Amino acid sequence: MAVYALVDCNNFYVSCERAFNPALESKPVVVLSNNDGCAVARSAEAKTLGVPMGEPAFKLRDLAEKQGLIMLSSNYALYGDMSERVMSVLATFSPGAEVYSIDECFLDLDGLPVDDMTAWSHQIRATVRRWTGIPVSVGIGTTKTLAKLANRLAKKSVRANGVLDLASHPEWVVPALKQTPVGDVWGIGRQYAAHCGVNGIRTAFDLTLQPDGWIKKTMGAVGLRTVIELRGTPVHTLDTAPSDKHTTCCSRSFGESVADFDQVNDAVLTFASRAAEKIRGEGLVAGAVQVFAYTDRFRQDQPQFSLNSLIRLSPPTSSTQHIIGAALKGLKSAWRDGYAYKKAGVIMLDLVRPEDIPRDLFSPPPESGARPMALMAAMDGINSKMGKGAVGFGLVPQDAPWQMRCGNRTPSYTTNWDDLPVVKA
């Protein structure tokens, strides 16, 4: 019988901050999005104060002054590294693991010599907390969708204490389905949830009772697979070896709108460099580069414009030098004066592995790129050892107006030597 566990980090971004600053424990904390825009993570105490997900930061200032709400800038370098640490710990508990997101991981429990799944799950929680400082919840089910549902209830129920095993207790499945609003089912979006509500379908249990034909007509094949899993039949298998990406993007909203070409040029250069490093780390090369920038759509008092340009790379490459050149060429060709741009980005397209590059009579031989790639390998090695951005192309000022606002960002404790905690005697 298939058995899956979903291990989910509790309030992950906030938990990462608390792991290095215990003074934040038991206090209302929110982590803000890029440019300190809105709440993207909330502690339980912040939720109790009524802070909704996505609430703009300026609307939280009153709570900060009167209720002691702490607002922190996002620190993605820290969160990414902490995620890798958590996932490496989870991999020791099961030979089959699928990293589903930065804070979630599915484990394949089929065939594991475990007599008591609940006790085993508490061991996972204790080990992850002891080794990384991150609290997690564990949900177990005979399908991935039921494991996801069990995890949600494990978090909400004080009695569950962070663990709910529906696989070993099939008699709990129906009550669990009845306690789950249809909108909280994994894979059921707002549109489908609203449609279900109109038809009197309030809970996950109600959804399981609907005819397959109606479900497929209303929610498509994906929705039908979700309902089949809610009924206990596995459809989704563990994806332990995810396929290569076909695209990847590096983009940012600017700290303030920028009308100067040189400033946007610097931003695109930075994004292209990061995107190139990203695909090299995955062993891929790009066949095209797309660059875009657009104005602030919320400022209707200002002229609106969106630029977009695509440049082909022949042959496909992951060379930062060539990718930057293509991106800047695309920006220059599409640029229009007289507009204040609020966001820009670079998209890498047609990603393949070097050995899968289509060859033709006019393609240069592979060895022609040996020297540029040796340079890239040297740069990546230095940046890995000395810290991201130690060497690169171009000189970009750190106080440029397009740089993100992050006035309350905590140190990158685990990825930057200069940010290591110091203990004073």
Side-chain angles (χ1 to χ4, degrees), residues 273 276-277 280 317-323 369-383 391 393:
S273 179
E277 185 177 2
R280 276 200 307 277
T317 183
S318 61
S319 165
T320 298
Q321 185 176 3
H322 294 157
I323 289 170
R371 292 186 63 184
M373 296 318 298
L375 173 62
M376 295 302 102
M379 286 179 53
D380 292 344
I382 294 172
N383 287 331
V391 294
F393 290 89

Side-chain angles (χ1 to χ4, degrees), residues 114-141:
V114 178
D115 295 326
D116 188 339
M117 288 292 184
T118 297
W120 180 79
S121 297
H122 281 297
Q123 183 184 353
I124 290 179
R125 297 185 73 227
T127 304
V128 173
R129 187 63 183 265
R130 184 169 61 251
W131 291 5
T132 69
I134 304 299
V136 301
S137 297
V138 183
I140 300 175

Side-chain angles (χ1 to χ4, degrees), residues 62-82:
D62 190 56
L63 284 176
E65 294 175 1
K66 297 179 180 180
Q67 301 291 337
L69 178 68
I70 300 170
M71 294 188 288
L72 300 176
S73 303
S74 50
N75 188 341
Y76 295 120
L78 174 65
Y79 308 151
D81 185 70
M82 292 299 290

Side-chain angles (χ1 to χ4, degrees), residues 228-263:
I228 291 173
E229 288 228 328
L230 286 175
R231 294 170 180 160
T233 301
V235 176
H236 303 295
T237 58
L238 213 63
D239 189 5
T240 56
S243 57
D244 291 333
K245 296 179 180 177
H246 297 292
T247 66
T248 193
C249 177
C250 183
S251 65
R252 295 288 186 277
S253 295
F254 297 160
E256 60 185 70
S257 296
V258 176
D260 181 66
F261 173 80
D262 290 336
Q263 293 286 350

Side-chain angles (χ1 to χ4, degrees), residues 1-6 106-112 117 139-147 165-170 173 229 231-238:
M1 179 182 70
V3 182
Y4 300 99
L6 177 67
F106 284 103
L107 301 179
D108 185 359
L109 311 187
D110 187 21
L112 288 183
M117 288 292 184
I140 300 175
T142 54
T143 70
K144 292 172 73 174
T145 303
L146 284 175
D165 177 13
L166 296 181
S168 302
H169 301 277
V173 173
E229 288 228 328
R231 294 170 180 160
T233 301
V235 176
H236 303 295
T237 58
L238 213 63

